[in-house]
Amino acid sequence: SASLLSSSASGASVVAIDNKIEQAMDLVKNHLMYAVREEVEVLKEQIKELLEKNSQLERENSLLKTLASPEQLEKFQSRLPTEVLCPEEESPGAAAPAQHSGGSAV
């Protein structure tokens, strides 16, 4: 009958739409996974660099502590809190603050 034909046709179009939705969702999922993996790689690299920098600074710090006289250490420690709260001037050796990169280029 005619009604049976139209219902099977609409059924087929629903399946086609479902397939298209599924394909679109797969595309989105793949794109997101790729973007996340890319971001993770960047962050891993940054973490590695920061760990290296940190251990370098720790070595420098312990060396400076070893070389400093007790008077120098005491003077430094007494000055530290005020300088942290209100730095009067940028120390010449201070590195420029790292630029925070915006999110991944998706």
Side-chain angles (χ1 to χ4, degrees):
S1 78
S3 64
L4 188 64
L5 249 171
S6 66
S7 73
S8 70
S10 68
S13 70
V14 166
V15 169
I17 289 169
D18 281 353
N19 286 340
K20 279 194 164 57
I21 290 171
E22 206 171 312
Q23 284 172 4
M25 288 176 76
D26 278 347
L27 273 174
V28 170
K29 188 178 81 176
N30 289 339
H31 180 73
L32 283 173
M33 291 297 288
Y34 177 77
V36 167
R37 274 195 212 105
E38 212 173 41
E39 190 73 13
V40 165
E41 284 309 308
V42 170
L43 291 171
K44 275 183 182 170
E45 195 57 40
Q46 286 179 341
I47 288 169
K48 201 180 103 192
E49 286 169 15
L50 289 170
L51 285 170
E52 285 168 7
K53 181 76 175 163
N54 189 46
S55 63
Q56 178 195 337
L57 289 171
E58 280 175 354
R59 284 195 303 273
E60 268 178 38
N61 190 32
S62 62
L63 177 65
L64 290 170
K65 277 183 177 174
T66 312
L67 296 174
S69 68
E71 298 83 35
Q72 284 173 317
L73 276 175
E74 203 173 299
K75 188 178 170 192
F76 176 72
Q77 307 241 293
S78 67
R79 281 175 57 188
L80 199 57
T82 55
E83 282 194 358
V84 170
L85 294 173
C86 50
E88 286 160 17
E89 59 188 51
E90 197 86 17
S91 57
Q99 288 296 314
H100 184 275
S101 61
S104 67
V106 179

